[in-house]
Amino acid sequence: MDRLIARARTPVDATSLAVLRICVGAICAWEVIRYFSAGWIQEFWERPQFHFHYVGFGWVEALPAPGMQILWGVLGVCAVLMAVGAAYRIAAAVFAVGFGYTFLIEAATYLNHFYFLFLLTVVLAIVPANRVWSVDALVKRRFGSNRRRRPSIPAWSLWLVRFQIAVVYVSGGLAKLDSDWLRGQPMSAWLANRTDFP
């Protein structure tokens, strides 16, 4: 057990986690922009008088207008802060909680990609993905006493991210081991609906 703990604490290069942080922050910001531009915030949360709730989460209700738009604005700011690594841990935690809240309000809008994005932002709020290529690292380097040349992270940080991604993809792959997916039925149905798309 001591060897495992020692390996988990071993310093590793922080670059890959920084790239993940930047990509996830950019994807989150892009989704916020899409929801605002398409009018989906009003369509999914403000206009409906009834929401389909997940089992056990019937108590989760949408904020009254314009509360949901304000929340999505905050999510957009947090996404940008995550991408640039400014107040990173706070931004990632606020995004995860806010995005998870919007996710729980309406089960009819479920997307497995958004569930994965929620899980990933929870993990990113835990791991130190701001050690390199971030505003936080720049401020720490300029004003802090710790001036390491090669910023590192403990190995457990990468293990946790890899585990989360592996769980999603392995379970998704196992769920698709049925006759429809093996015949390519979902892809042919998807392509048939998009014949006008190059």
Side-chain angles (χ1 to χ4, degrees):
M1 188 64 154
D2 290 337
R3 285 178 57 193
L4 179 63
I5 292 170
R7 284 187 62 202
R9 292 180 177 165
T10 303
V12 295
D13 186 33
T15 308
S16 61
L17 211 51
V19 170
L20 179 70
R21 183 202 78 233
I22 293 165
C23 291
V24 169
I27 289 168
C28 292
W30 179 63
E31 286 300 332
V32 169
I33 291 167
R34 274 182 12 132
Y35 268 67
F36 270 109
S37 63
W40 292 338
I41 299 166
Q42 298 93 341
E43 182 181 340
F44 297 151
W45 293 288
E46 291 183 351
R47 286 192 199 123
Q49 299 298 315
F50 176 80
H51 293 284
F52 291 96
H53 294 287
Y54 292 97
V55 175
F57 291 96
W59 53 272
V60 181
E61 294 293 334
L63 297 170
M68 292 305 291
Q69 292 197 36
I70 292 168
L71 174 62
W72 276 85
V74 169
L75 293 179
V77 170
C78 288
V80 171
L81 291 174
M82 275 195 310
V84 300
Y88 157 73
R89 286 246 173 112
I90 295 169
V94 170
F95 186 92
V97 169
F99 195 71
Y101 164 71
T102 64
F103 190 84
L104 290 175
I105 294 170
E106 182 58 75
T109 60
Y110 173 84
L111 284 174
N112 57 356
H113 301 84
F114 283 172
Y115 183 54
F116 176 52
L117 194 59
F118 164 68
L119 294 174
L120 204 49
T121 56
V122 169
V123 170
L124 284 176
I126 296 169
V127 299
N130 61 338
R131 296 263 174 99
V132 66
W133 297 349
S134 70
V135 172
D136 291 344
L138 183 67
V139 168
K140 188 173 184 177
R141 209 173 312 122
R142 187 157 302 213
F143 300 108
S145 59
N146 190 357
R147 296 174 183 244
R148 285 187 280 173
R149 284 188 178 161
R150 300 187 78 203
S152 62
I153 55 173
W156 67 262
S157 303
L158 284 180
W159 295 355
L160 184 59
V161 171
R162 289 173 182 163
F163 174 77
Q164 181 59 72
I165 292 171
V167 166
V168 169
Y169 280 98
V170 169
S171 62
L174 291 174
K176 289 175 176 64
L177 287 177
D178 64 12
S179 60
D180 286 343
W181 276 97
L182 294 175
R183 270 196 335 258
Q185 184 62 35
M187 183 56 79
S188 57
W190 186 83
L191 290 172
N193 288 333
R194 287 159 181 82
T195 55
D196 58 335
F197 187 73

